[in-house]
């Protein structure tokens, strides 16, 4: 999909809702519609115009990245600039992104433009972003491939005595020197009891043999992300760990087998949750099954108990059941998949095995 066709979609939505304009401030939405990657700026979309409003620092960059947009330099505060801008284009009903604009900022806009009726909207662009086009999928595939490579690399680096932070740093170093814009999020390596916290950050704890080590990593390439988790263990693997691992793996495979167009986020979540509950670990799977991934690491659709999102071909989601036992640790296995015409394709290629590939393991 080109930027022009994305704009066309938005304009159709505007006409259907009787909005005169849509003011876009959310950074990933801004990038999705215009290509602009700067950290500050707004888009104003009207039926005839597409304006990119930013400050002096970004004018040249905006011109290069967003040829479909008229670039407007805003001097001073945005809310002081708004009244003249909206009056010039005779805009009365202006939609804005209520999930992104702060109350403080919105109050300033409203005070500056008493004649404008502001329409709070949610998910206008986010819903469009859920289905990826070929270019987006290509970037995501590259980010996934680099993540698989980084995991293979770390399999030969990780050994008892290495700290969680040393492992995350080695993964980050590998990704950044092999083509990543950056890492996709603060990488997680959580050994032993730390793994009982699903979003633990890496600590100075040294990894020990026979404990679960949760490794949750991803890369960003051309603005698109990957997200993968593997749980591994060094040395002799205790029975309980194998048992928990088998349950999580079964849940994950059942969910991946169930994903196809028409399935709701709630139904997908339920498939994995039933497997884990049947094994007696229901209360220990406290988060949702998965989330969309694209320009943001966490975006729609949601695979959760509360989600009415309906899967469609081209959606990219994680499948990441987990079991977390306080004082012991956690097991999570996360793949990134793309929904196809009749099922899903698993993009993540890293082996799903508690034990690291034998030839890669050292000193355990
Ligand atoms: Zn993850
Ligand atoms: Zn995730």
């Amino acid at each position: 999909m080109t930027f022009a066709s994305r704009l066309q979609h938005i304009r159709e939505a505007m006409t259907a809702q009787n909005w005169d304009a849509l003011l876009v401030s959310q950074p990933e939405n801004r990038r999705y519609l215009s290509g602009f990657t700067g950290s500050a700026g707004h888009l104003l979309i009207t039926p005839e115009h597409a304006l990119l409003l930013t400050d002096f620092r970004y004018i040249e960059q905006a011109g290069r990245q967003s040829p479909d947009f008229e670039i407007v330099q805003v001097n001073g505060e945005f809310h002081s600039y708004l009244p003249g801008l909206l009056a010039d284009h005779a805009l009365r009903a202006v939609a804005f992104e209520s999930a992104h604009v702060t109350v403080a900022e919105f109050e300033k806009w409203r005070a500056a433009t008493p004649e404008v009726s502001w329409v709070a909207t949610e998910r206008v662009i986010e819903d469009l972003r859920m289905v990826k086009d070929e270019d987006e999928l290509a970037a995501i595939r590259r980010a996934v491939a680099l993540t698989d490579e980084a995991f293979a690399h770390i399999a030969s680096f990780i050994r008892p005595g290495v700290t969680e932070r040393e492992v995350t740093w080695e993964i980050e170093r590998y990704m950044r020197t092999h083509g990543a814009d950056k890492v996709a999020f603060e990488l997680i390596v959580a050994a032993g009891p730390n793994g009982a916290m699903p979003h633990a950050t890496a600590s100075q704890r040294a990894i020990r043999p026979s404990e679960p080590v949760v490794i949750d990593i991803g890369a960003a390439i051309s603005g698109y992300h990957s997200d993968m988790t593997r749980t591994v263990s060094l040395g002799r693997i205790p029975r309980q760990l194998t048992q928990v691992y088998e349950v999580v793996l079964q849940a994950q495979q059942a969910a991946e087998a169930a994903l196809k167009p028409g399935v709701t986020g709630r139904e997908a979540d339920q498939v994995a949750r039933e497997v884990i509950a049947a094994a007696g670990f229901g209360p220990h799977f406290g988060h949702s099954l998965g989330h969309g991934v694209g320009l943001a690491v966490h975006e729609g659709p949601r695979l959760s108990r509360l989600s009415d999102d309906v899967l469609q071909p081209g959606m990219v989601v994680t499948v990441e059941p987990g079991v977390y036992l306080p004082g012991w640790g956690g097991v999570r296995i996360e793949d990134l998949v793309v929904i196809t015409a009749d099922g899903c394709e698993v993009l993540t290629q890293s082996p799903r095995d508690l034990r690291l590939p034998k030839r890669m393991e050292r000193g355990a």
Side-chain angles (χ1 to χ4, degrees):
M1 208 171 5
T2 61
F3 291 119
S5 66
R6 290 174 185 173
L7 272 181
Q8 185 55 37
H9 268 89
I10 294 302
R11 287 185 167 130
E12 282 164 16
M14 285 168 46
T15 308
Q17 304 283 338
N18 286 319
W19 303 333
D20 296 335
L22 174 65
L23 184 61
V24 179
S25 39
Q26 203 282 336
E28 283 84 27
N29 289 343
R30 203 166 59 204
R31 179 173 186 167
Y32 183 76
L33 290 183
S34 71
F36 177 61
T37 62
S39 67
H42 294 84
L43 306 181
L44 184 71
I45 319 276
T46 76
E48 290 87 32
H49 294 273
L51 307 179
L52 166 47
L53 306 126
T54 188
D55 62 77
F56 171 79
R57 296 170 298 168
Y58 292 115
I59 293 301
E60 184 175 350
Q61 179 184 340
R64 288 187 198 183
Q65 292 181 326
S66 307
D68 294 351
F69 279 70
E70 301 160 48
I71 312 301
V72 179
Q73 180 170 335
V74 176
N75 301 310
E77 297 217 71
F78 185 66
H79 68 266
S80 318
Y81 191 82
L82 262 180
L85 175 74
L86 299 184
D88 283 353
H89 290 83
L91 305 172
R92 299 297 298 265
V94 181
F96 71 103
E97 300 176 294
S98 61
H100 180 70
V101 179
T102 64
V103 173
E105 194 177 0
F106 179 63
E107 290 301 337
K108 288 182 196 165
W109 295 0
R110 200 161 59 172
T113 58
E115 67 297 334
V116 168
S117 71
W118 290 96
V119 185
T121 69
E122 277 184 73
R123 290 179 62 156
V124 176
I125 303 161
E126 284 85 347
D127 280 353
L128 204 53
R129 277 171 45 197
M130 290 200 288
V131 175
K132 272 65 183 179
D133 65 35
E134 282 310 315
D135 292 341
E136 295 182 287
L137 277 177
I140 291 170
R141 283 178 193 278
R142 280 171 26 229
V144 169
L146 179 57
T147 304
D148 284 332
E149 255 185 58
F151 182 73
H153 169 73
I154 213 65
S156 61
F157 174 86
I158 198 167
R159 60 187 186 282
V162 169
T163 67
E164 295 170 350
R165 281 189 193 162
E166 285 169 331
V167 177
T168 54
W169 176 244
E170 184 63 18
I171 296 168
E172 176 156 1
R173 192 193 62 76
Y174 187 93
M175 286 177 168
R176 282 180 175 271
T177 53
H178 289 78
D181 309 341
K182 57 178 184 175
V183 290
F185 45 86
E186 195 174 344
L187 305 181
I188 296 173
V189 172
N194 291 347
M197 300 176 279
H199 273 186
T201 50
S203 75
Q204 298 288 21
R205 188 180 192 283
I207 294 170
R208 300 174 197 166
S210 306
E211 62 184 11
V213 184
V214 178
I215 302 175
D216 189 349
I217 61 177
I221 294 186
S222 305
Y224 286 84
H225 297 87
S226 63
D227 189 3
M228 170 185 101
T229 307
R230 289 295 181 259
T231 301
V232 300
S233 187
L234 306 173
R236 194 190 60 80
I237 296 175
R239 233 168 95 91
Q240 188 189 15
L241 177 49
T242 307
Q243 284 165 348
V244 174
Y245 192 87
E246 286 305 320
V247 170
V248 175
L249 184 59
Q250 231 184 62
Q252 199 215 21
Q253 290 183 331
E256 287 181 357
L259 295 186
K260 61 178 183 194
V263 169
T264 65
R266 179 184 293 117
E267 289 163 347
D269 181 274
Q270 186 60 25
V271 171
R273 206 163 293 283
E274 273 171 9
V275 174
I276 289 174
F281 294 115
H284 301 288
F285 174 29
H287 58 71
S288 53
L289 177 65
H291 53 87
V293 174
L295 284 172
V297 187
H298 291 98
E299 58 181 48
R302 306 276 161 184
L303 308 184
S304 83
R305 278 176 283 197
L306 303 174
S307 172
D308 294 320
D309 294 337
V310 179
L311 295 180
Q312 293 173 50
M315 288 180 167
V316 172
V317 293
T318 66
V319 182
E320 51 177 310
V323 165
Y324 308 91
L325 303 175
W328 178 79
V331 171
R332 180 166 66 254
I333 310 171
E334 174 181 30
D335 286 339
L336 198 58
V337 312
V338 56
I339 306 301
T340 60
D342 55 1
C344 79
E345 177 194 344
V346 179
L347 301 175
T348 307
Q349 295 297 314
S350 293
R352 286 178 288 195
D353 195 347
L354 255 181
R355 191 169 286 288
L356 291 164
K358 200 71 197 159
R359 63 192 164 75
M360 293 177 170
E361 194 172 335
R362 270 188 207 159

